Amino acid sequence: MSQWVIKGLRTGIKSTRYPNVAETAAGVSPGFPAETNLGGALAESLVAGCPTRALGLGPQGVEVDRRRCVHCFRCIRGAKRPLDWESGYEWARIGADGAHRDHRLGRPFGRSVHILVVDAGDCGACLNEVKQLNNPYYNMHRLGFFLTPTPRHADVMLVVGAVTEHMRHALRKAYDAMPTPKRVVAAGACALCGGVFGPSFICGSGAAEVVPVDVEVPGNPPPPLAILHGLLVAVGRRPPANGAG
Amino acid sequence: MAIELGQMAAQAQTRWPGRVRADTEQDADCAYRIECEPQALPEVCNWLFSDLGYSFGGLVVEEAARWELRYLFYGDREQGWVHVIARLSADQTRVPSVSTLIHAADWHEREAEDLFGLVFEGHPRLGDFVLHNDTWQENLTPMRRSFDDRKPAAWRTPDSDWKPRQIVEEAGAFLMPIGPIYSTATGPAHFVLETIGEDVIRAQPRLFYAYRGLEKIAQGRAAEDLLLIAERISGTSAFAHSLGACQAVERICRIEVPPRARVLRVWAAELERLRHHVGAIEGICESTGLVVAAAQAAIIEEDLLRISGALTGHRYFFGLNALGGLTIDLDDCALLHAAWQVKAAVSRLSELERMLSMSSSFLDRLEEVGNVGASDAREFGLVGPVARASGVSRDLRRAHPYLGYERVDFDVPCETEGDGYARLRVFFGEAAQSARIISAVSSSIPQGAFRAPQVSLGAGAALGWVEAPRGAALHWIRLADDGVVDRYRIITPSFANWHGFRLGAERFAFQDFPIILATFALSVHENDR
Ligand code: SF4
């Protein structure tokens, strides 16, 4: 067995220094199209070409609703005038149900937050990014985040997926079983608006239809750092992308 | 076993005179059609499966003026694909079950019964399957054309007291329901484990909690938008599935994919396979509690995700495939650099393999655990690494090469024990082969276009196939005149392997269950669609 101890020690520290220092490694995030000063027919064709209606025309040009964007890249690849693109990952915003809440969950949650992950019917990519949070690169334990399999021990629920009819009941039951105070983080385009799947006869248009969502993390899937930011926002240790909170 | 394709028509016609009509030649897609009357279906299918050694691919049901049932079979390269087709008039919904003779067709028929309302006579287990009976209204068949998928269906109020049925009745039998939310970060699934003492006697998964109705919502969409859906069948094998869909559409519309795009597709497909297998290895290490090893694998997985992200813009290759090629060109220097990074990651992977092979307490948990024999694997139609660990070696890259795989030098690792350790070795072996392919193609990528210059869509139907990370994936697509999707049938490796999962899980100790589950590397998302 000692070979594993040595191996572990030899590997050294891999963890990102986020949130103290921004992570700059390549390939940690797909980024998003940025609001672009562009009008006329070019802008209209980009807006019309977006499959999930994430783009709109506003006074400043083309506006982007990140909650709906599924990273299909149609607004840049092959476009006559591509939209600007922005990297980064601190995208989490306070959701409609979170606005009236105090996001400092209070002292007991300071350094030990237990998270229940509920896959309410995604494609598996969001779930895989959630799993990465436990890998040595992201090492969520160092921030006091722990995954728990039971709602009764959970402070925060992390939901992915558009919520299928078959998961709706289980999701609600799990939420009800969590002790208060509790917070819900919805991660991924599907959990925010149904994404590519919903609404339909079997998929809803997001977790907020079933449970109150405090924090929204856009992305399809959101990369691990974006989910980490969402969790930090949920417990009041990082400001959300939309200021308040 | 194998007979000349030309003789097959003659043989079929002598065996079932007047009841079958068989092609004497393959069509352009290497497919060979046998049309038969419904009553002859089981026998004809069984002849292919049992006498001629074909593998069962899946069932495609299409609703038009008449019902068309298409049972797909594939053999080795010279045996090609065989489509056994039976037609029923629109008001006829009963057909003899093929799964009484070919067990691999079991779940396909259950699904068709649930979603189309067809009745497979003689099938032993119809009922609650895709659509859960405790919430779904009886007699609603969502895959019928008359069913409107945009409106929410009328659901029943869920029954909070729903309980699985106990089957094992012996003394000391205990029923343990697990899920659909279980463990720390898993796809939704429910297991009904029935145990006597320590042993699991019956392990029946209840799936489709992640049923997103993808085949239904694809209908009426533009062919290009189909790729958005295909990528999200299983996010961890997005590229493989979008490739399957692309190949079907490219066949229908006779789109010539430029050589450069074909090689780049091989590149991405193999990187995805490698990353998937590393994830599977990580899962196996974790299930045995070997945290350092799991962490080592996790580091490699993240490295590969970053390589993918840096190179193509997306860690899971979303938005990369396009009809006729790719959406962007990949830079030759960046590819070489990435290949070098992959090589470094894989050398750490083989170090991990070496260390694991010397950890006796780890091997004890895997050896002689979750055994699946070769004949069971074939009978249940298992595919991919799981099948190859049980000595069933068919790999679509070899059997029916696409993208030019016939010119790529690689091995198909195969084991015979069929236990957890054999599956682990196949994952390691295939990961190494993928790395080998990546490094070989990186230095010889042809110049030229990365996408067909012109893509004009037309009507037709075709099968696209791909050896996805978890095994054979078949995509049957029918386009209407305007290039709009009329039918999209998705047959996934997880669907086949979940069906056979109980082969490995039953008869073993309860504490081995999570380990056996990990060695099957199943995806509920890919299964449920
Ligand atoms: S990347 Fe795709 S989904 Fe996102 S805004 Fe652009 S077109 Fe819309």
Side-chain angles (χ1 to χ4, degrees):
Chain A
M1 266 299 96
S2 66
Q3 61 162 348
W4 295 110
V5 178
I6 298 164
K7 182 80 187 166
L9 292 173
R10 282 230 181 100
T11 308
I13 295 170
K14 284 268 175 194
S15 303
T16 174
R17 290 163 72 203
Y18 177 81
N20 296 327
V21 178
E23 176 61 65
T24 54
V28 293
S29 167
F32 271 122
E35 205 171 280
T36 306
N37 189 347
L38 181 72
L42 285 178
E44 275 165 28
S45 80
L46 289 179
V47 170
C50 174
T52 51
R53 290 175 286 115
L55 300 178
L57 285 173
Q60 303 300 320
V62 178
E63 289 173 352
V64 183
D65 179 358
R66 287 179 182 161
R67 301 164 75 249
R68 309 193 75 91
C69 174
V70 294
H71 312 292
C72 74
F73 302 104
R74 286 186 197 170
C75 51
I76 52 164
R77 294 178 187 167
K80 261 203 207 97
R81 160 69 167 92
L83 290 187
D84 299 340
W85 200 263
E86 57 189 351
S87 49
Y89 44 80
E90 287 207 315
W91 300 323
R93 299 166 70 115
I94 301 296
D97 297 298
H100 59 276
R101 298 222 220 179
D102 177 3
H103 282 275
R104 277 159 285 273
L105 263 175
R107 278 203 163 266
F109 299 101
R111 288 286 151 190
S112 164
V113 181
H114 286 81
I115 300 159
L116 173 73
V117 178
V118 178
D119 179 336
D122 70 334
C123 71
C126 286
L127 188 70
N128 210 53
E129 294 295 54
V130 170
K131 277 188 201 159
Q132 303 308 315
L133 291 175
N134 260 337
N135 84 30
Y137 277 112
Y138 301 107
N139 188 9
M140 73 198 298
H141 296 174
R142 80 201 146 92
L143 299 167
F145 292 133
F146 302 93
L147 298 184
T148 170
T150 71
R152 303 216 182 276
H153 296 159
D155 310 303
V156 173
M157 175 189 266
L158 178 58
V159 196
V160 298
V163 188
T164 61
E165 278 304 326
H166 290 155
M167 279 307 287
R168 179 186 279 268
H169 184 54
L171 173 61
R172 184 71 217 185
K173 256 171 93 174
Y175 177 81
D176 290 341
M178 285 167 64
T180 43
K182 51 190 162 189
R183 296 289 181 264
V184 176
V185 177
C190 302
L192 300 187
C193 72
V196 167
F197 306 134
S200 76
F201 71 104
I202 195 96
C203 274
S205 44
E209 291 180 340
V210 186
V211 292
V213 171
D214 298 282
V215 177
E216 301 183 331
V217 185
N220 192 252
L225 288 169
I227 303 170
L228 210 51
H229 176 241
L231 294 171
L232 290 166
V233 169
V235 294
R237 281 160 54 188
R238 232 18 230 170
N242 52 343
Chain B
M1 285 236 292
I3 55 167
E4 290 246 340
L5 276 174
Q7 293 169 13
M8 198 148 79
Q11 250 196 51
Q13 261 133 6
T14 358
R15 276 190 167 223
W16 297 279
R19 301 172 70 195
V20 301
R21 203 197 61 74
D23 288 353
T24 45
E25 271 173 31
Q26 292 183 24
D27 65 10
D29 305 332
C30 334
Y32 180 92
R33 275 167 309 159
I34 300 178
E35 291 175 25
C36 70
E37 63 175 50
Q39 293 308 320
L41 252 182
E43 283 176 38
V44 174
C45 289
N46 193 39
W47 171 61
L48 290 165
F49 185 79
S50 300
D51 298 352
L52 304 183
Y54 280 88
S55 299
F56 174 67
L59 164 64
V60 181
V61 176
E62 291 191 85
E63 182 191 9
R66 284 187 294 170
W67 290 105
E68 189 177 280
L69 273 64
R70 182 183 297 262
Y71 287 81
L72 299 167
F73 293 86
Y74 61 98
D76 291 328
R77 200 157 167 188
E78 59 292 347
Q79 293 175 287
W81 290 87
V82 181
H83 298 197
V84 181
I85 301 164
R87 299 203 171 83
L88 308 173
S89 62
D91 55 352
Q92 200 191 335
T93 50
R94 303 184 81 83
V95 59
S97 163
V98 166
S99 65
T100 51
L101 298 175
I102 303 176
H103 192 59
D106 176 14
W107 276 17
H108 286 267
E109 295 187 339
R110 285 185 74 182
E111 180 177 333
E113 194 258 4
D114 228 7
L115 302 184
F116 283 102
L118 295 176
V119 179
F120 293 86
E121 287 169 332
H123 192 297
R125 287 218 43 189
L126 301 176
D128 183 293
F129 188 53
V130 179
L131 303 165
H132 294 175
N133 284 356
D134 53 334
T135 45
W136 184 258
Q137 305 265 355
E138 271 311 309
N139 303 325
L140 268 186
T141 44
M143 282 306 292
R144 290 272 183 114
R145 287 189 193 274
S146 54
F147 184 92
D148 184 353
D149 63 319
R150 282 155 308 185
K151 285 204 292 249
W155 292 84
R156 287 183 187 156
T157 321
D159 173 7
S160 283
D161 299 324
W162 179 86
K163 283 208 175 50
R165 200 156 50 113
Q166 182 156 357
I167 306 254
V168 180
E169 280 179 346
E170 274 160 72
F174 186 72
L175 182 141
M176 204 167 331
I178 301 174
I181 302 169
Y182 69 103
S183 189
T184 48
T186 41
H190 183 99
F191 298 96
V192 182
L193 298 186
E194 294 190 59
T195 57
I196 297 182
E198 290 220 320
D199 290 341
V200 174
I201 304 299
R202 209 175 140 259
Q204 198 60 49
R206 188 185 196 223
L207 302 168
F208 299 100
Y209 287 91
Y211 172 57
R212 289 149 282 151
L214 297 186
E215 293 182 6
K216 181 71 179 184
I217 65 171
Q219 288 174 3
R221 299 223 189 175
E224 198 178 335
D225 287 348
L226 199 62
L227 300 188
L228 293 173
I229 294 176
E231 282 165 348
R232 289 161 183 81
I233 294 166
S234 161
T236 49
S237 41
F239 192 81
H241 286 294
S242 66
L243 184 59
C246 278
Q247 298 196 91
V249 175
E250 286 156 6
R251 263 196 194 106
I252 297 170
C253 306
R254 307 267 166 243
I255 300 167
E256 188 70 42
V257 180
R260 181 175 178 82
R262 293 155 67 97
V263 173
L264 292 178
R265 279 177 169 182
V266 169
W267 207 99
E270 293 306 324
L271 182 52
E272 182 176 77
R273 186 182 327 277
L274 169 58
R275 192 244 302 138
H276 169 271
H277 286 9
V278 172
I281 291 163
E282 179 197 342
I284 295 170
C285 293
E286 203 175 81
S287 72
T288 63
L290 201 50
V291 284
V292 180
Q296 296 296 323
I299 291 170
I300 300 170
E301 185 186 9
E302 175 67 17
D303 287 340
L304 297 172
L305 283 166
R306 289 183 182 186
I307 294 170
S308 311
L311 193 71
T312 70
H314 198 280
R315 288 155 62 91
Y316 296 85
F317 298 128
F318 286 6
L320 183 59
N321 255 321
L323 300 177
L326 299 181
T327 56
I328 41 159
D329 202 0
L330 305 179
D331 177 73
D332 284 353
C333 289
L335 282 165
L336 272 178
H337 179 65
W340 172 81
Q341 288 176 300
V342 168
K343 203 168 180 180
V346 168
S347 75
R348 282 180 283 135
L349 190 66
S350 40
E351 167 67 5
L352 178 64
E353 181 180 17
R354 191 191 61 79
M355 289 178 69
L356 286 174
S357 70
M358 296 188 317
S359 295
S360 52
S361 62
F362 171 74
L363 299 183
D364 283 347
R365 306 297 308 272
L366 295 175
E367 280 175 317
E368 292 298 316
V369 168
N371 295 50
V372 179
S375 64
D376 277 347
R378 194 175 133 67
E379 197 55 38
F380 275 70
L382 299 189
V383 292
V386 173
R388 291 190 280 273
S390 294
V392 177
S393 64
R394 228 160 246 170
D395 181 319
L396 287 175
R397 291 173 297 172
R398 267 286 158 71
H400 300 284
Y402 48 93
L403 295 180
Y405 267 111
E406 66 275 21
R407 290 184 298 276
V408 179
D409 198 16
F410 68 100
D411 299 325
V412 178
C414 207
E415 303 286 344
T416 50
E417 293 90 337
D419 61 356
Y421 188 40
R423 291 190 281 276
L424 179 73
R425 293 203 305 279
V426 170
F427 284 126
F428 271 115
E430 290 194 8
Q433 291 302 318
S434 292
R436 176 176 162 199
I437 297 174
I438 289 170
S439 116
V441 301
S442 297
S443 51
S444 59
I445 296 172
Q447 294 305 307
F450 60 94
R451 191 171 182 180
Q454 184 114 46
V455 171
S456 47
L457 298 173
L463 184 71
W465 60 85
V466 52
E467 184 72 23
R470 298 182 187 91
L474 314 184
H475 295 247
W476 173 261
I477 295 176
R478 183 178 297 279
L479 297 181
D481 286 333
D482 41 4
V484 158
V485 178
D486 183 63
R487 175 79 172 107
Y488 183 25
R489 169 70 175 143
I490 311 159
I491 298 167
T492 69
S494 288
F495 187 73
N497 289 350
W498 267 113
H499 177 224
F501 170 62
R502 40 172 288 253
L503 290 171
E506 289 172 355
R507 310 177 317 285
F508 289 95
F510 178 70
Q511 61 269 26
D512 290 331
F513 183 78
I515 299 175
I516 297 168
L517 187 58
T519 61
F520 270 74
L522 297 160
S523 157
V524 292
H525 315 98
E526 196 182 51
N527 174 80
D528 298 357
R529 293 154 287 138

